[in-house]
């Protein structure tokens, strides 16, 4: 995949996360249950992915290789469900902008650790000043959105 296509894909994924978080917060508000909202989120997602696999448009999984998957590779589903549940709970309190900044900041913090030590089969990339500066800027952005939030009340 070339770098431009990868950047467009990652940017689109980020936009979809913001819209999804807002939609899930509304679903939680209507249903009065963050867990039910998250469950519906994953039910819809599972249904769409199942239809895409069944359509034949994408390569079918090699289920014989299932036994070769490391145990930690299944954490994605657990962590995804936790993320959706937590964002559904926090967006109404923090607002979408601050919640998203907090998510991105924590992603950056964990990403530099994973990169630094090469965890989970990711090629190691040393921590550098520009990555630390990016995290610091995200923390400033979180503080500024909270200051603005208190001023606008």
């Amino acid at each position: 995949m070339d770098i431009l296509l990868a950047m467009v894909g990652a940017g689109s994924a980020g936009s979809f996360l913001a819209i999804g978080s807002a939609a899930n917060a509304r679903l939680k508000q209507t249903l009065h249950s963050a867990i039910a909202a998250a469950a519906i989120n994953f039910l819809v997602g599972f249904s769409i992915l199942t239809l895409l696999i069944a359509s034949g448009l994408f390569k079918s999984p090699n289920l014989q290789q299932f036994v070769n998957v490391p145990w930690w590779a299944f954490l994605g589903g657990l962590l995804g469900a936790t993320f959706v549940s937590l964002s559904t709970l926090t967006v109404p309190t923090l607002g979408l902008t601050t919640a998203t900044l907090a998510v991105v900041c924590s992603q950056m913090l964990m990403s530099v650790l994973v990169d630094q030590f090469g965890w989970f089969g990711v090629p190691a990339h040393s921590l550098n000043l520009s990555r630390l500066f990016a995290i610091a800027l995200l923390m400033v952005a979180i503080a500024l959105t909270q200051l603005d939030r208190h001023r606008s009340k």
Side-chain angles (χ1 to χ4, degrees):
M1 175 180 286
D2 94 331
I3 190 78
L4 181 60
L5 187 58
M7 291 298 285
V8 168
S12 297
S15 298
F16 298 158
L17 272 179
I19 294 167
S21 292
N24 288 334
R26 176 56 190 234
L27 195 56
K28 179 233 175 221
Q29 178 186 13
T30 303
L31 299 176
H32 304 288
S33 172
I35 298 301
I40 290 169
N41 170 292
F42 281 95
L43 180 63
V44 171
F46 174 79
S47 300
I48 297 297
L49 293 173
T50 301
L51 287 172
L52 286 172
I53 290 171
S55 74
L57 293 172
F58 297 91
K59 186 177 177 182
S60 294
N62 183 350
L63 297 179
Q64 294 172 338
Q65 292 299 317
F66 193 75
V67 296
N68 296 327
V69 177
W71 68 268
W72 51 262
F74 295 100
L75 290 176
L78 171 66
L79 297 173
T82 303
F83 167 78
V84 169
S85 298
L86 288 173
S87 69
T88 300
L89 288 168
T90 59
V91 164
T93 303
L94 296 175
L96 189 56
T97 301
T98 302
T100 300
L101 283 167
V103 165
V104 171
C105 187
S106 66
Q107 283 178 312
M108 284 290 294
L109 286 166
M110 185 54 70
S111 295
V112 297
L113 287 173
V114 171
D115 274 351
Q116 177 68 29
F117 298 108
W119 294 338
F120 308 109
V122 172
H125 295 278
S126 296
L127 180 62
N128 59 37
L129 195 56
S130 64
R131 291 177 186 209
L132 289 174
F133 186 63
I135 292 168
L137 287 175
L138 285 167
M139 290 178 176
V140 168
I142 291 167
L144 289 174
T145 59
Q146 283 303 290
L147 287 174
D148 182 52
R149 184 169 178 245
H150 292 297
R151 224 181 291 156
S152 64
K153 284 186 177 183

Coordinates of all heavy atoms in Angstrom, one line a residue, residues 63-99:
L63 N -9.3 -20.7 7.9 CA -9.6 -21.1 9.2 C -8.6 -22.2 9.8 O -8.6 -22.4 11.0 CB -11.0 -21.5 9.3 CG -12.1 -20.4 9.0 CD1 -13.5 -21.0 9.1 CD2 -11.9 -19.3 10.0
Q64 N -7.9 -22.8 8.9 CA -6.9 -23.8 9.3 C -5.8 -23.2 10.1 O -5.1 -23.8 10.9 CB -6.4 -24.6 8.2 CG -7.5 -25.5 7.5 CD -7.0 -26.1 6.2 OE1 -6.0 -25.7 5.6 NE2 -7.6 -27.2 5.8
Q65 N -5.5 -21.9 9.8 CA -4.5 -21.2 10.5 C -4.9 -20.6 11.8 O -4.1 -20.0 12.6 CB -4.0 -20.0 9.6 CG -3.3 -20.5 8.3 CD -2.0 -21.3 8.7 OE1 -1.3 -21.0 9.5 NE2 -1.9 -22.5 8.0
F66 N -6.1 -20.8 12.2 CA -6.7 -20.2 13.4 C -5.9 -20.7 14.7 O -5.6 -19.9 15.6 CB -8.1 -20.7 13.6 CG -8.9 -20.0 14.6 CD1 -9.4 -18.7 14.5 CD2 -9.2 -20.6 15.8 CE1 -10.1 -18.1 15.4 CE2 -10.0 -20.0 16.8 CZ -10.4 -18.7 16.6
V67 N -5.4 -21.9 14.7 CA -4.7 -22.4 15.8 C -3.3 -21.8 15.9 O -2.7 -21.9 17.0 CB -4.5 -24.0 15.7 CG1 -5.9 -24.6 15.9 CG2 -3.9 -24.4 14.5
N68 N -2.8 -21.2 14.9 CA -1.5 -20.6 14.9 C -1.5 -19.1 15.3 O -0.4 -18.5 15.4 CB -0.8 -20.6 13.5 CG -0.6 -22.1 13.1 OD1 -0.3 -22.9 13.9 ND2 -0.7 -22.3 11.8
V69 N -2.7 -18.6 15.6 CA -2.8 -17.2 16.0 C -2.3 -17.1 17.5 O -2.8 -17.8 18.3 CB -4.2 -16.7 15.9 CG1 -4.4 -15.3 16.4 CG2 -4.7 -16.8 14.4
P70 N -1.4 -16.2 17.8 CA -1.0 -16.0 19.2 C -2.2 -15.5 20.1 O -3.1 -14.8 19.6 CB 0.1 -15.0 19.2 CG 0.0 -14.3 17.9 CD -0.7 -15.2 16.9
W71 N -2.3 -15.9 21.3 CA -3.4 -15.6 22.2 C -3.7 -14.1 22.3 O -4.8 -13.7 22.3 CB -3.2 -16.2 23.6 CG -2.1 -15.5 24.3 CD1 -0.7 -15.8 24.4 CD2 -2.2 -14.3 25.1 NE1 0.0 -14.9 25.1 CE2 -0.9 -14.0 25.6 CE3 -3.2 -13.4 25.5 CZ2 -0.6 -12.9 26.4 CZ3 -2.9 -12.3 26.3 CH2 -1.7 -12.1 26.7
W72 N -2.6 -13.3 22.3 CA -2.8 -11.8 22.4 C -3.4 -11.2 21.2 O -3.9 -10.1 21.3 CB -1.5 -11.2 22.8 CG -0.3 -11.5 21.9 CD1 0.7 -12.4 22.1 CD2 0.0 -10.9 20.6 NE1 1.5 -12.5 21.1 CE2 1.1 -11.5 20.1 CE3 -0.6 -9.9 19.9 CZ2 1.7 -11.2 18.9 CZ3 0.0 -9.6 18.7 CH2 1.1 -10.2 18.2
A73 N -3.4 -11.9 20.1 CA -4.0 -11.3 18.9 C -5.5 -11.2 19.0 O -6.2 -10.4 18.3 CB -3.7 -12.1 17.6
F74 N -6.1 -11.9 20.0 CA -7.6 -11.9 20.2 C -7.9 -10.7 21.1 O -9.1 -10.4 21.3 CB -8.1 -13.2 20.7 CG -7.9 -14.3 19.8 CD1 -6.9 -15.2 19.9 CD2 -8.8 -14.4 18.7 CE1 -6.7 -16.2 19.0 CE2 -8.7 -15.5 17.8 CZ -7.6 -16.3 17.9
L75 N -7.0 -10.0 21.7 CA -7.3 -8.9 22.6 C -7.9 -7.7 21.8 O -8.6 -6.9 22.4 CB -6.0 -8.4 23.2 CG -5.3 -9.3 24.3 CD1 -4.0 -8.7 24.7 CD2 -6.3 -9.5 25.4
G76 N -7.8 -7.7 20.5 CA -8.3 -6.6 19.7 C -9.9 -6.5 19.9 O -10.4 -5.4 20.1
G77 N -10.5 -7.6 19.9 CA -12.0 -7.6 20.1 C -12.3 -7.1 21.5 O -13.2 -6.3 21.7
L78 N -11.6 -7.6 22.5 CA -11.9 -7.2 23.9 C -11.6 -5.7 24.1 O -12.4 -5.0 24.7 CB -11.0 -8.0 24.9 CG -11.0 -7.5 26.3 CD1 -12.4 -7.7 27.0 CD2 -9.9 -8.3 27.1
L79 N -10.5 -5.3 23.6 CA -10.1 -3.9 23.7 C -11.0 -3.0 22.9 O -11.3 -1.9 23.3 CB -8.6 -3.7 23.3 CG -7.6 -4.4 24.2 CD1 -6.2 -4.3 23.7 CD2 -7.7 -3.9 25.6
G80 N -11.4 -3.4 21.7 CA -12.4 -2.7 20.9 C -13.7 -2.5 21.6 O -14.3 -1.4 21.6
A81 N -14.2 -3.6 22.3 CA -15.5 -3.5 23.0 C -15.3 -2.5 24.2 O -16.2 -1.7 24.5 CB -15.9 -4.9 23.5
T82 N -14.1 -2.6 24.8 CA -13.9 -1.7 26.0 C -13.8 -0.2 25.5 O -14.4 0.7 26.1 CB -12.6 -2.1 26.7 OG1 -12.7 -3.4 27.1 CG2 -12.3 -1.2 27.9
F83 N -13.1 0.0 24.4 CA -13.1 1.3 23.8 C -14.4 1.9 23.5 O -14.8 3.0 23.9 CB -12.2 1.4 22.5 CG -12.3 2.6 21.7 CD1 -11.7 3.8 22.2 CD2 -13.1 2.7 20.6 CE1 -11.8 5.0 21.5 CE2 -13.3 3.9 19.9 CZ -12.7 5.0 20.3
V84 N -15.3 1.1 22.8 CA -16.6 1.6 22.4 C -17.4 1.9 23.7 O -18.1 2.9 23.7 CB -17.3 0.6 21.5 CG1 -18.8 1.0 21.3 CG2 -16.6 0.6 20.1
S85 N -17.4 1.0 24.6 CA -18.1 1.2 25.9 C -17.7 2.5 26.6 O -18.5 3.3 27.0 CB -18.0 0.0 26.8 OG -18.5 -1.1 26.2
L86 N -16.3 2.6 26.7 CA -15.8 3.8 27.4 C -16.1 5.1 26.7 O -16.4 6.1 27.3 CB -14.3 3.7 27.7 CG -13.9 2.6 28.8 CD1 -12.4 2.4 28.8 CD2 -14.5 3.0 30.1
S87 N -15.9 5.1 25.4 CA -16.2 6.3 24.6 C -17.7 6.7 24.7 O -18.1 7.9 24.8 CB -15.7 6.2 23.2 OG -16.5 5.3 22.5
T88 N -18.6 5.7 24.7 CA -20.0 5.9 24.8 C -20.3 6.6 26.2 O -21.2 7.4 26.2 CB -20.8 4.5 24.7 OG1 -20.5 4.0 23.4 CG2 -22.2 4.7 24.8
L89 N -19.6 6.2 27.2 CA -19.8 6.8 28.5 C -19.2 8.2 28.6 O -19.7 9.0 29.3 CB -19.2 5.9 29.6 CG -20.0 4.6 29.9 CD1 -19.1 3.7 30.8 CD2 -21.3 4.9 30.6
T90 N -18.0 8.4 28.0 CA -17.3 9.6 28.3 C -17.6 10.8 27.3 O -17.5 12.0 27.7 CB -15.8 9.4 28.2 OG1 -15.4 8.9 26.9 CG2 -15.3 8.4 29.3
V91 N -18.1 10.5 26.1 CA -18.4 11.6 25.2 C -19.4 12.6 25.7 O -19.3 13.8 25.6 CB -18.8 11.0 23.8 CG1 -19.5 12.1 22.9 CG2 -17.5 10.5 23.1
P92 N -20.5 12.1 26.3 CA -21.5 13.1 26.8 C -20.9 14.0 27.9 O -21.3 15.1 28.1 CB -22.6 12.2 27.4 CG -22.5 10.9 26.7 CD -21.0 10.7 26.4
T93 N -20.0 13.5 28.7 CA -19.4 14.3 29.8 C -18.3 15.2 29.3 O -18.3 16.4 29.6 CB -18.8 13.4 30.9 OG1 -19.9 12.5 31.3 CG2 -18.2 14.2 32.0
L94 N -17.4 14.7 28.5 CA -16.2 15.5 28.0 C -16.5 16.3 26.8 O -15.8 17.3 26.5 CB -15.1 14.6 27.7 CG -14.5 13.8 28.9 CD1 -13.4 12.9 28.4 CD2 -13.9 14.8 30.0
G95 N -17.5 15.9 26.0 CA -17.7 16.4 24.7 C -16.8 15.6 23.7 O -15.8 15.0 24.1
L96 N -17.2 15.6 22.4 CA -16.6 14.8 21.4 C -15.1 15.2 21.2 O -14.2 14.4 21.1 CB -17.4 14.8 20.1 CG -16.9 13.8 19.1 CD1 -16.9 12.4 19.6 CD2 -17.8 13.9 17.8
T97 N -14.9 16.5 21.2 CA -13.5 17.0 20.9 C -12.5 16.6 22.0 O -11.5 16.0 21.7 CB -13.5 18.5 20.7 OG1 -14.4 18.9 19.7 CG2 -12.1 19.0 20.4
T98 N -12.9 16.8 23.2 CA -12.0 16.5 24.3 C -11.8 15.0 24.4 O -10.7 14.5 24.6 CB -12.5 17.1 25.6 OG1 -12.6 18.5 25.5 CG2 -11.5 16.8 26.8
A99 N -12.9 14.2 24.3 CA -12.8 12.8 24.4 C -11.9 12.2 23.3 O -11.1 11.3 23.5 CB -14.2 12.1 24.3

